[in-house]
Amino acid sequence: MQPAEAYAALTTLAREETVLASCSDLLEWDEETFMPRGGVENRAEQMALMAGLLHERGSDPRFGELLSIVEGSDLAADPASDVAVNIRELRREFERERLLPRDLVEEGARVATFGAQAWVDAREAADFGVFRPWLEKIIVMAREEADAVGFSETRYDAMLDDYEPGMTTREVTALFAGLKARLIPMVEELSRPADLPAHVLRREFPVDRQMLFANAVAAAMGFDLERGRIDTASHPFCTSIGPGDVRIAVRYQRRNFAQGFFVLLHEVGHGLYDQGIDAAHYGMPMGEAPSLGLHESQSRLWENQVGRSLGFWEHFFPRLKSIFHESLHDISLDAFRRVINRVTPGPNRGRADEVTYNLHIIIRSELEQAMLSGDLPVADLPGAWNEAYRKYLSVTPKNDAEGCLQDGHWSEGMIGYFPTYTLGNIYAAQLFDRADRDLGGVESAFAKGDFSGLLGWLRDRIHSQGSRHSARELVALATGAAPTPEPLLKSLDTRYRIT
Ligand code: ZN
């Protein structure tokens, strides 16, 4: 077979697998949004069948054969070409899949299902002991997985590589150390009680009006409602079904405006990335984000860098005030901006503000690394967790449910996932800082309701690049510097130390 022919066959295989996965994504979207309760059993059967078909496709030995024909041929000679990028990434994914023993994968799926159930029960009972045996299994299996796929320095490298390819434990540790050293004193300083009307966001915000406002903001940001939808669900998410079909779901709360609105900005950020990917590359790595952290950078950028800026609210606050007149008539733009940029340390990651958020992530990253290396026996997790919260945030969770049982990631076998949230924040601030300089100050455009300059910059530098580069390389190319926590610290310092 000629290389060109092999590449065409490879494209067909990869595309079909993506189309199949998109059917499963659509079933999942429906399950989260509109499916009646009575549909559960049939949906479980549909999902199981899809998972089986997908696994069959993904491990098709033809992938390996076709890749070998294209690799080393003239077709893939230029490493910067789309073909070479697609081949490189397909090979990387295929190798990881190939090196994982079948029984470990199957056992992983089983443990994730039961582990997630045990976690729910443990959380209800606020008793880590119920979940402990499962977490012990999950850690042992993560070690086996790392040993199977290989790593350069520590097993955690192999875990990270699954979510943030190209990022190492050494680099994450250095980035997080730089953040931590400055965030801990910053939190302490900024969380002194200030005279803020924080309660205003808990006044009455009718949900139907929140939805109208949210859709108008999403459209102004550039989210194309002809190629996407915004619905409601109990858990917010954004999923790309395919080119031209990006689905967002959010949850509005009548008496918590910030919770619904900033989550909407976050999910729209993810959606803008997906809508900015070149449809011609659908089904191939050039049509995908290179990492979770980079995808998260887009959501965090719109949620925080844009959505908490003065320019943004100079444009939207008058409209917000007219829509929710009863609740905001006595609030000035300045007071509102202070309220949405305030620091309140607490035990919960999901409800954390932007400044304390990264400390929640750093705690989880440090603890999962310690469990994986064996430095921290799983049985000692609750104590180590509470100790870290006292040290970093000066708060003490009142029980395990509020402490080490609050997130479900570990119960589903996701070790190495947490750092991608903070990497997203680091990338976001660095990209925004550079865009702001390149465009000569974006906030004056925001004040006019114009976000097209920023979106154009992101389309060009990030969205259209697919998986051409790893996230860290892409951030370096777009900004001229390797990822560093400095822009994030600078932006927090500027926005939260409002005088
Ligand atoms: Zn996100």
Side-chain angles (χ1 to χ4, degrees):
M1 194 187 276
Q2 290 302 308
E5 211 183 320
Y7 185 69
L10 205 53
T11 309
T12 305
L13 266 186
R15 248 183 193 255
E16 281 179 359
E17 194 189 338
T18 307
V19 171
L20 195 60
S22 80
C23 297
S24 166
D25 292 341
L26 188 59
L27 289 173
E28 227 174 289
W29 170 82
D30 174 69
E31 190 178 324
E32 296 281 339
T33 50
F34 295 116
M35 188 186 77
R37 285 175 80 90
V40 171
E41 276 176 37
N42 189 52
R43 183 56 42 89
E45 254 183 69
Q46 291 174 314
M47 294 302 284
L49 178 59
M50 295 301 284
L53 291 172
L54 265 169
H55 179 78
E56 234 168 73
R57 288 273 170 161
S59 49
D60 191 328
R62 276 186 300 165
F63 266 111
E65 292 159 20
L66 294 167
L67 279 168
S68 311
I69 299 173
V70 187
E71 283 164 342
S73 75
D74 286 349
L75 210 54
D78 174 6
S81 68
D82 294 350
V83 174
V85 170
N86 285 332
I87 294 300
R88 180 194 75 208
E89 288 302 304
L90 286 174
R91 169 61 76 187
R92 202 179 54 77
E93 290 161 18
F94 183 75
E95 283 304 297
R96 190 169 176 112
E97 193 87 358
R98 191 182 63 83
L99 291 168
L100 280 177
R102 179 80 184 249
D103 52 348
L104 186 62
V105 175
E106 284 171 3
E107 180 67 359
R110 196 184 74 83
V111 169
T113 306
F114 288 107
Q117 190 51 53
W119 169 72
V120 171
D121 296 342
R123 207 160 80 128
E124 243 159 60
D127 178 7
F128 178 70
V130 176
F131 179 50
R132 198 195 73 199
W134 292 101
L135 186 55
E136 279 167 348
K137 272 199 189 68
I138 286 161
I139 295 293
V140 168
M141 291 176 62
R143 289 184 194 137
E144 287 172 21
E145 184 181 334
D147 292 342
V149 301
F151 50 87
S152 52
E153 281 189 43
T154 71
R155 284 178 171 141
Y156 197 64
D157 286 334
M159 299 289 101
L160 275 177
D161 203 59
D162 205 14
Y163 306 108
E164 198 65 19
M167 188 55 81
T168 63
T169 308
R170 187 184 283 271
E171 193 165 3
V172 166
T173 306
L175 284 169
F176 286 10
L179 257 188
K180 193 166 85 171
R182 300 256 299 279
L183 281 180
I184 294 172
M186 194 188 279
V187 167
E188 204 173 318
E189 183 190 340
L190 297 177
S191 53
R192 284 191 205 117
D195 185 20
L196 282 178
H199 62 278
V200 299
L201 298 177
R202 300 208 172 251
R203 287 176 179 171
E204 183 80 21
F205 291 89
V207 166
D208 53 341
R209 283 192 256 161
Q210 282 194 57
M211 286 167 81
L212 286 175
F213 179 69
N215 280 20
V217 172
M221 285 160 68
F223 185 74
D224 183 352
L225 287 158
E226 293 288 318
R227 298 191 302 135
R229 288 182 58 92
I230 304 178
D231 295 283
T232 55
S234 52
H235 302 290
F237 62 89
C238 173
T239 183
S240 176
I241 305 298
D245 190 355
V246 176
R247 311 277 176 114
I248 286 173
V250 278
R251 187 166 67 126
Y252 301 102
Q253 289 169 300
R254 193 168 55 87
R255 297 189 74 93
N256 190 341
F257 173 75
Q259 194 69 32
F261 186 72
F262 287 100
V263 168
L264 170 96
L265 295 187
H266 181 103
E267 301 305 340
V268 169
H270 281 303
L272 288 173
Y273 191 164
D274 289 337
Q275 286 189 338
I277 282 176
D278 187 348
H281 294 303
Y282 177 64
M284 291 297 257
M286 274 301 293
E288 288 159 15
S291 80
L292 284 184
L294 195 72
H295 219 299
E296 191 69 0
S297 79
Q298 299 305 290
S299 59
R300 302 284 170 149
L301 186 146
W302 290 94
E303 176 190 357
N304 295 325
Q305 303 294 332
V306 177
R308 296 179 198 275
S309 70
L310 178 60
F312 182 91
W313 288 107
E314 276 174 344
H315 178 71
F316 282 115
F317 190 66
R319 195 181 304 189
L320 186 75
K321 210 165 159 163
S322 72
I323 297 174
F324 302 104
H325 182 74
E326 313 88 308
S327 296
L328 296 173
H329 66 96
D330 55 346
I331 303 299
S332 67
L333 169 60
D334 184 57
F336 181 77
R337 193 163 72 100
R338 285 160 182 266
V339 168
I340 59 167
N341 285 296
R342 75 182 196 288
V343 181
T344 44
N348 189 282
R349 177 184 70 88
R351 286 195 287 273
D353 60 76
E354 194 192 351
V355 181
T356 54
Y357 188 88
N358 295 301
L359 290 171
H360 290 270
I361 296 304
I362 292 172
I363 288 171
R364 287 156 178 73
S365 309
E366 290 179 351
L367 292 174
E368 65 181 12
Q369 280 183 61
M371 287 191 290
L372 190 71
S373 71
D375 288 348
L376 175 67
V378 170
D380 296 344
L381 176 68
W385 181 284
N386 294 348
E387 180 54 30
Y389 267 81
R390 267 194 295 278
K391 224 168 92 187
Y392 294 178
L393 287 157
S394 307
V395 296
T396 308
K398 63 175 188 288
N399 55 38
D400 292 345
E402 205 182 74
C404 65
L405 291 173
Q406 67 179 268
D407 292 308
H409 300 62
W410 291 336
S411 78
E412 289 168 41
M414 297 196 287
I415 309 288
Y417 187 108
F418 280 120
T420 66
Y421 292 119
T422 285
L423 289 171
N425 282 325
I426 291 173
Y427 301 156
Q430 190 162 333
L431 292 169
F432 185 80
D433 174 65
R434 180 63 197 227
D436 187 46
R437 284 187 282 133
D438 282 359
L439 299 167
V442 284
E443 281 202 45
S444 51
F446 295 173
K448 296 188 200 104
D450 180 5
F451 302 92
S452 61
L454 175 64
L455 183 59
W457 191 94
L458 293 169
R459 288 264 191 267
D460 182 39
R461 308 291 177 98
I462 305 295
H463 306 171
S464 62
Q465 300 299 315
S467 291
R468 190 181 301 284
H469 308 283
S470 71
R472 61 181 307 291
E473 285 167 356
L474 191 55
V475 169
L477 283 169
T479 67
T484 152
E486 288 311 315
L488 176 58
L489 287 162
K490 197 180 91 188
S491 108
L492 293 175
D493 214 54
T494 317
R495 278 183 295 115
Y496 283 79
R497 225 185 281 275
I498 308 168
T499 49

